Amino acid sequence: DGGITQSPKYLFRKEGQNVTLSCEQNLNHDAMYWYRQDPGQGLRLIYYSQIVNDFQKGDIAEGYSVSREKKESFPLTVTSAQKNPTAFYLCASTPRGVRTGNTIYFGEGSWLTVV
Amino acid sequence: GQNIDQPTEMTATEGAIVQINCTYQTSGFNGLFWYQQHAGEAPTFLSYNVLDGLEEKGRFSSFLSRSKGYSYLLLKELQMKDSASYLCAVRATNSGGYQKVTFGTGTKLQVIP
């Protein structure tokens, strides 16, 4: 079945450590997104990408980095520069067209905790 | 940038009707999504409006007015399982030609007996 796979589901990070969250989709979607959600809050956009080898900063990109070497993959690295990374992270994808892109598909999310 | 506003919390009675409003300010508007999210889970799709008007889908309906930057989600015959957060999201194309999807902070709906 087509969908988005995020891994790991739960991740613990030590102070000063970089960690990478994986996001893979087999939906042949051009656009992919990373969002962060804090408890009781909405989704905030970290980075997004429309095509391979191209991505744009969202509203809270500081302390994060991404790559888009393949259409299917959009990994997110939480760097040591992100001082408060504990949150729920959601990867999403959508077709590029305005009308065809009428649904955003989400992965199941990754919980990141700083220890 | 984009500015999306929704009420933070709402309470409604089982069997009743509730309307959740969303206002937005953006350029390059493409469409507006509504998603439902239960705590600790990924959001699930409810609706997507591109043109003005009301779209009905079972107990859920969504309305859009592009000229007013306004949308609402209407939930009828409320059930206890409808207690969740409802997220409004706007899809827009920025000056660089990139399509961006931005979410509001969400409305937490509590359905009471």
Side-chain angles (χ1 to χ4, degrees):
Chain A
D1 288 344
I4 299 178
T5 302
Q6 282 186 243
S7 63
K9 177 75 172 176
Y10 299 96
L11 183 61
F12 297 91
R13 192 194 92 168
K14 294 181 180 179
E15 296 280 352
Q17 191 179 47
N18 292 357
V19 293
T20 298
L21 306 179
S22 169
C23 179
E24 302 280 332
Q25 54 100 356
N26 60 4
L27 300 165
N28 199 33
H29 287 171
D30 290 303
M32 296 187 74
Y33 305 82
W34 272 106
Y35 294 92
R36 168 181 171 145
Q37 188 173 36
D38 293 281
Q41 304 297 312
L43 278 62
R44 292 187 290 167
L45 183 63
I46 306 173
Y47 269 97
Y48 60 110
S49 168
Q50 286 197 154
I51 55 174
V52 174
N53 292 324
D54 187 63
F55 46 83
Q56 299 295 309
K57 291 182 179 179
D59 301 313
I60 56 164
E62 186 175 351
Y64 300 96
S65 66
V66 292
S67 62
R68 188 87 187 274
E69 297 178 0
K70 299 185 300 182
K71 187 175 184 178
E72 304 79 24
S73 180
F74 192 41
L76 173 74
T77 296
V78 185
T79 75
S80 57
Q82 172 50 244
K83 297 306 178 188
N84 185 23
T86 296
F88 185 49
Y89 290 86
L90 283 160
C91 179
S93 73
T94 182
R96 210 170 150 187
V98 172
R99 292 189 187 276
T100 55
N102 59 358
T103 304
I104 307 168
Y105 293 79
F106 284 92
E108 292 191 350
S110 296
W111 290 92
L112 175 62
T113 303
V114 173
V115 296
Chain B
Q2 297 174 347
N3 189 28
I4 303 172
D5 289 315
Q6 305 177 234
T8 304
E9 294 181 345
M10 298 183 71
T11 301
T13 305
E14 189 177 15
I17 299 173
V18 69
Q19 178 175 313
I20 302 174
N21 296 325
C22 173
T23 59
Y24 63 89
Q25 294 175 313
T26 189
S27 55
F29 178 83
N30 296 147
L32 187 143
F33 297 90
W34 283 97
Y35 273 77
Q36 180 192 63
Q37 186 182 30
H38 287 98
E41 299 179 5
T44 55
F45 174 79
L46 294 177
S47 66
Y48 180 58
N49 293 66
V50 175
L51 302 176
D52 292 349
L54 183 69
E55 293 202 8
E56 299 183 74
K57 191 183 296 184
R59 294 191 299 115
F60 294 73
S61 302
S62 57
F63 172 84
L64 175 67
S65 169
R66 290 171 295 171
S67 62
K68 294 182 179 179
Y70 169 68
S71 173
Y72 67 73
L73 179 70
L74 195 69
L75 290 75
K76 303 176 185 176
E77 303 171 10
L78 279 173
Q79 302 175 8
M80 298 299 291
K81 67 177 183 179
D82 296 330
S83 294
S85 288
Y86 292 85
L87 310 176
C88 170
V90 170
R91 181 177 184 156
T93 301
N94 64 19
S95 57
Y98 292 95
Q99 289 180 10
K100 182 179 174 182
V101 179
T102 303
F103 282 78
T105 55
T107 299
K108 187 174 182 180
L109 174 66
Q110 182 181 15
V111 180
I112 58 177

